[in-house]
C-alpha cells in the first residue's frame, strides 16, 4: 500500500533533513505519550511579549519547558501553571531524537526539552527563528502527527525566500549546525475537516540548557 513506508530522506539544507514517514510506526505510542504529558501539564494558549495570543496551544515535557508571556520567551524548569517541574521526557521521545539525528548523519542532540504544539484548523505559526537555546548549533528534531500542514522553510534573513514543505502524519524534520537559525513557520491549516484527524501535533525535541 502506498504511503505506509517511509520515503527517502530529503535534504532541505546542508544540515537539515526531512524524513517522510520516519515516525509512522511509533505514532500510536507517541500520541499516548502526549496524552500522558498533557494529563500533568495541560495545553495552554501563550502570549507574545506584546500581549497577543499565539494561535497554537502549547505544553512541554523534559527538564526544561519553553513558555511565553508578557515578560518574554524563556525556558523554565517548572510549569508556571502548576509550579511543579514539567513532566519527564518519555524515553521513546529521547530514542526518536537519537534515531532521527543518526538517519540525518547528525550527532545525537540529547534533548532536555520537548515543546508540544497543538494546531486546530485555521491556526498556523508565523516566520521566526528558534534562538532561546544555549547551543544554537545542536540539532532540533521535530515530529508531526495528525492533520497535514505546510511547513515554511526560509533562510537566515527574515525576507529570504521560503520553500513550502508538506508535512504529513509521521514526518520528521531534523536541522542543526548551519541550518539551525533558519527562519521557519507553519502556514495556517486548512479550515476544511481532513478526516480522520481533528488537529495537528508537532513535537520539537531540543537541547535547551
Ligand atoms: C528548521 N514548530 O515550535 S517544526 C517551533 O510545526 C516550531 O510546530 C513548527 O517552529 C511546528 O518552534 C515547525 C519543524 C522545524 C522547526 C524549526 C526549525 C524546522 C526548522 C528551525 C530551523 C530550521
Ligand atoms: Fe520554531
Amino acid at each position: 500500500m502506498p504511503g505506509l513506508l517511509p520515503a527517502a530522506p530529503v535534504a532541505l539544507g546542508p544540515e537539515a533533513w526531512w524524513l517522510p514517514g520516519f515516525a509512522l510506526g511509533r505514532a500510536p505510542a507517541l500520541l499516548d505519550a502526549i496524552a500522558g504529558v498533557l494529563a500533568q501539564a495541560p495545553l495552554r494558549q501563550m502570549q507574545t511579549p506584546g500581549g497577543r495570543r499565539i494561535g497554537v496551544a502549547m505544553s512541554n515535557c523534559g527538564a526544561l519547558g519553553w513558555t511565553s508571556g508578557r515578560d518574554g520567551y524563556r525556558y523554565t524548569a517548572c510549569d508556571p501553571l502548576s509550579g511543579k517541574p514539567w513532566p519527564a521526557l518519555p524515553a521513546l521521545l529521547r530514542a526518536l531524537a537519537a534515531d532521527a539525528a543518526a538517519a540525518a548523519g547528525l550527532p545525537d542532540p540529547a534533548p532536555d526539552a520537548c515543546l508540544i504544539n497543538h494546531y486546530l484548523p485555521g491556526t498556523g505559526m508565523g516566520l521566526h527563528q528558534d534562538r532561546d537555546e544555549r547551543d544554537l548549533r545542536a540539532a532540533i528534531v521535530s515530529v508531526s502527527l495528525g492533520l497535514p500542514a505546510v511547513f515554511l522553510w526560509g533562510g537566515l534573513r527574515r525576507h529570504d525566500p521560503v520553500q513550502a514543505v508538506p508535512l504529513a502524519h509521521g514526518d520528521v524534520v531534523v536541522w542543526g549546525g548551519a541550518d539551525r537559525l533558519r527562519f521557519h513557520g507553519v502556514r495556517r491549516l486548512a479550515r476544511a475537516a481532513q478526516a480522520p484527524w481533528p488537529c495537528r501535533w508537532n513535537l520539537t525535541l531540543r537541547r535547551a540548557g
Side-chain angles (χ1 to χ4, degrees), residues 45-172:
Q45 292 277 165
M46 304 244 222
Q47 289 189 351
T48 65
R52 288 185 49 191
R53 266 163 55 150
I54 294 178
V56 173
M58 300 176 170
S59 187
N60 294 276
C61 55
L64 292 170
W66 189 84
T67 58
S68 160
R70 288 194 163 274
D71 52 342
Y73 307 104
R74 59 206 175 93
Y75 281 97
T76 60
C78 291
D79 178 351
L81 277 188
S82 66
K84 294 191 292 193
W86 296 102
L89 190 69
L92 87 160
L93 287 179
R94 201 181 301 277
L96 178 68
D99 295 346
L106 296 172
D108 181 353
D112 57 11
C114 177
L115 175 61
I116 300 171
N117 293 147
H118 175 257
Y119 295 78
L120 288 171
T123 58
M125 187 182 286
L127 273 189
H128 66 278
Q129 290 173 301
D130 292 8
R131 48 185 323 143
D132 296 326
E133 299 75 26
R134 186 192 296 266
D135 176 354
L136 293 178
R137 292 183 64 86
I140 297 182
V141 173
S142 103
V143 191
S144 293
L145 297 166
L147 286 175
V150 176
F151 173 57
L152 301 171
W153 170 249
L156 295 176
R157 291 169 305 179
R158 178 172 290 279
H159 297 290
D160 286 344
V162 296
Q163 187 186 337
V165 180
L167 293 183
H169 177 66
D171 285 4
V172 171

Side-chain angles (χ1 to χ4, degrees), residues 24 27-28 31 119 121 145-148 168-170 192-201:
L24 255 189
L31 290 164
Y119 295 78
L145 297 166
L147 286 175
H169 177 66
Q194 277 171 293
W197 305 104
C199 62
R200 171 176 187 257
W201 299 98

